[in-house]
Amino acid sequence: MGGAIMLLLAIENPTRVQALLGVSTAVTFDKPLTYTEDNVSTQAPTTNEYVTPKDFWDKKYQRCLMSDSIPVTQPVCLIHGMQDDTISYMTSVDLSKRLQSKHVDVILRKEGQHRMSKREDLALLVQCLGNLLSLSNSKL
């Protein structure tokens, strides 16, 4: 759900969000989403359903992220491990096609897991972040 929130923030704040770095980013969910009127997201204790605020599901998520084209125009780097057993790496490839940005990089790590937490994975994250910062600084 972090990837969906990242994209929604970029859509709602295009001048404040200069670039996006996604790790194992997913915007579609294979588990059913439900909602409550609360402003707190939790996982229901007795089921596998995720509970999300009504506003996120009704107004933002469906309108912005379920369409074929996602109105994110900032530079984006998506990093995904091919050994991710939580989210298929093809999710990042598919997402890259739906983003309106002309500057989208997808980096697949053959041995990478979902959390991308090995030393070499973290080094790649830092490198990508540096590249995105250079891009956004050159636009200023």
Side-chain angles (χ1 to χ4, degrees), residues 48-61:
N48 287 334
E49 292 184 354
Y50 290 95
V51 180
T52 58
K54 185 178 188 312
D55 185 57
F56 173 78
W57 176 251
D58 287 346
K59 296 178 184 168
K60 297 181 176 91
Y61 179 75

Side-chain angles (χ1 to χ4, degrees), residues 14-28:
T15 58
R16 294 186 70 193
V17 177
Q18 297 294 309
L20 294 91
L21 175 59
V23 178
S24 302
T25 305
V27 296
T28 56

Side-chain angles (χ1 to χ4, degrees), residues 11 27-28 60-71 95 98-100:
I11 292 167
V27 296
T28 56
K60 297 181 176 91
Y61 179 75
Q62 287 186 341
R63 175 175 46 86
C64 298
L65 301 181
M66 295 301 287
S67 64
D68 288 337
S69 178
I70 298 175
L95 174 61
R98 296 174 51 210
L99 296 170
Q100 289 179 5

Side-chain angles (χ1 to χ4, degrees), residues 85-108:
D85 60 358
T86 305
I87 300 168
S88 168
Y89 66 88
M90 287 305 296
T91 304
S92 289
V93 174
D94 295 337
L95 174 61
S96 72
K97 295 175 185 177
R98 296 174 51 210
L99 296 170
Q100 289 179 5
S101 175
K102 300 212 183 304
H103 186 99
V104 179
D105 292 322
V106 178
I107 300 173
L108 301 177

Side-chain angles (χ1 to χ4, degrees), residues 30-46:
D30 58 1
K31 295 180 182 177
L33 291 174
T34 61
Y35 59 81
T36 67
E37 291 296 325
D38 298 333
N39 286 329
V40 179
S41 295
T42 59
Q43 185 167 7
T46 57

